[in-house]
Amino acid sequence: MRLRSSMFFTTLTVAAVMVATAAFAQQGQDFSKVQVKATKLSGNFYTLEGQGGLIGVLGGPDGVFMVDTQFAPLTEKIVAAVKEISPGPIRFVVNTHVHGDHTGGNENFGTLGVTILAREQLRARLAGGPKPSPAAALPVVTYNAPVTINMNGEAIQLIPIQSAHTDGDTMVYFPNADVIMTGDVYRSVGYPFPDPNNGWTFNGLIDGLNKIISTAKATTKIVPGHGPIVDKNAVAAHRDMALAVRNKVAGLIKQGQTVEQVLAAKPTAEFDGKVDPGGSSHERFLRALYGNLSSAK
Ligand SMILES: [Zn+2]
């Protein structure tokens, strides 16, 4: 057992260094300084912050269940942080969506023997495209309907969300821990983050936010893809803001305004101070919203 795991670590170190170099060259980002910080949310459920989307960790006697893998160069630090939470093997990881800051570590975890789960659409996007992911990075178990994983006293629910951030989103509900992980369907910082090239639609976003709100109890800790943990009231306010902005943009489109005119009209102005003070995330949201509403006419 000891030998086995130390061999795994040697392999992983080499892989992580190679990928780290590639990622650094690609993104100009130095992951060597990133620290992975664990926060306990309840009994045996923790979040891990490093660089990229928040990771969820459910530990216990049946082994570890994880949500998302951040970037490949961080795998070793993530595995070390998980070991401190729960010494058992990491058995499963589910990807909330395809983006590299949530799936970048997949190949390393797959190589370690962790079973990766995700939506069929997510697997197809990782496997296809101009730069297909290596086989070890691909989800082994795929689904397009709700799935329950029973371990560590939890009935973990993988709930598909259609077209809310991408076309392969999953929200993960831990009823016992009273936690929902939303992936990037919901971020508690900035405006909604649309990815129309990967299947985002505005109606999908609203359906996704409504699913989070209807699943959560008043006490449920909602862990967004990025940003601080909130409760369902914050998600409801976010949905209402998105609908108000949609109505304004739809009105401007009706008047025949171009996307540049819509941006100049500042339809998010009343929310900017609260949602994204001094930031520019409104622009991406408005451009995607304009495109989606224009094409849906
Ligand atoms: Zn994302």
Side-chain angles (χ1 to χ4, degrees):
M1 253 334 242
R2 280 184 75 97
L3 181 67
R4 222 171 115 88
S5 73
S6 80
M7 275 171 66
F8 268 142
F9 266 95
T10 311
T11 313
L12 184 63
T13 309
V14 176
V17 168
M18 283 167 60
V19 182
T21 314
F24 181 78
Q26 238 172 43
Q27 310 176 21
Q29 206 171 350
D30 183 4
F31 288 100
S32 67
K33 306 240 162 30
V34 175
Q35 308 232 349
V36 174
K37 182 181 146 230
T39 305
K40 180 175 176 162
L41 284 201
S42 72
N44 51 349
F45 184 91
Y46 292 73
T47 56
L48 298 182
E49 274 171 83
Q51 183 86 42
L54 283 171
I55 285 178
V57 177
L58 179 77
D62 301 331
V64 172
F65 179 92
M66 268 178 65
V67 179
D68 283 341
T69 61
Q70 292 192 351
F71 294 104
L74 297 172
T75 302
E76 248 186 304
K77 290 177 189 171
I78 291 166
V79 169
V82 170
K83 277 253 171 309
E84 297 223 336
I85 294 168
S86 195
I90 302 174
R91 291 182 60 196
F92 301 103
V93 58
V94 63
N95 292 138
T96 60
H97 65 287
V98 71
H99 289 152
D101 57 332
H102 298 257
T103 61
N106 274 21
E107 184 184 6
N108 294 336
F109 283 97
T111 303
L112 283 171
V114 180
T115 300
I116 304 172
L117 305 97
R119 295 273 304 286
E120 290 157 17
Q121 293 86 339
L122 184 154
R123 188 183 195 283
R125 288 196 183 277
L126 279 184
K131 265 190 75 192
S133 297
L138 299 179
V140 172
V141 179
T142 58
Y143 52 88
N144 207 19
V147 174
T148 305
I149 312 278
N150 295 282
M151 59 188 287
N152 298 328
E154 271 284 4
I156 307 159
Q157 295 177 35
L158 313 184
I159 302 171
I161 304 280
Q162 308 292 339
S163 311
H165 174 61
T166 68
D167 57 7
D169 299 324
T170 294
M171 78 178 217
V172 189
Y173 180 34
F174 300 85
N176 222 6
D178 201 12
V179 168
I180 291 176
M181 294 197 66
T182 68
D184 285 1
V185 171
Y186 173 71
R187 295 173 165 220
S188 58
V189 286
Y191 285 93
F193 193 92
D195 183 356
N197 293 330
N198 280 313
W200 174 89
T201 67
F202 181 80
N203 288 340
L205 167 70
I206 296 301
D207 290 348
L209 295 173
N210 280 334
K211 187 73 190 172
I212 296 166
I213 295 160
S214 65
T215 305
K217 295 182 285 189
T219 51
T220 304
K221 293 175 253 330
I222 295 176
V223 180
H226 301 261
I229 290 157
V230 299
D231 64 13
K232 67 191 284 183
N233 292 328
V235 182
H238 186 80
R239 173 203 57 196
D240 295 345
M241 172 277 293
L243 286 168
V245 173
R246 189 274 313 267
N247 290 344
K248 283 193 178 176
V249 170
L252 296 169
I253 290 174
K254 245 194 185 137
Q255 294 167 24
Q257 296 207 1
T258 64
V259 66
E260 300 305 332
Q261 287 170 323
V262 167
L263 286 172
K266 300 192 190 307
T268 60
E270 65 176 295
F271 302 107
D272 287 345
K274 201 163 175 219
V275 175
D276 191 14
S280 60
S281 67
H282 62 282
E283 184 171 339
R284 181 190 179 105
F285 176 48
L286 288 173
R287 285 188 187 279
L289 184 54
Y290 186 95
N292 190 227
L293 295 179
S294 306
S295 65
K297 258 198 306 193

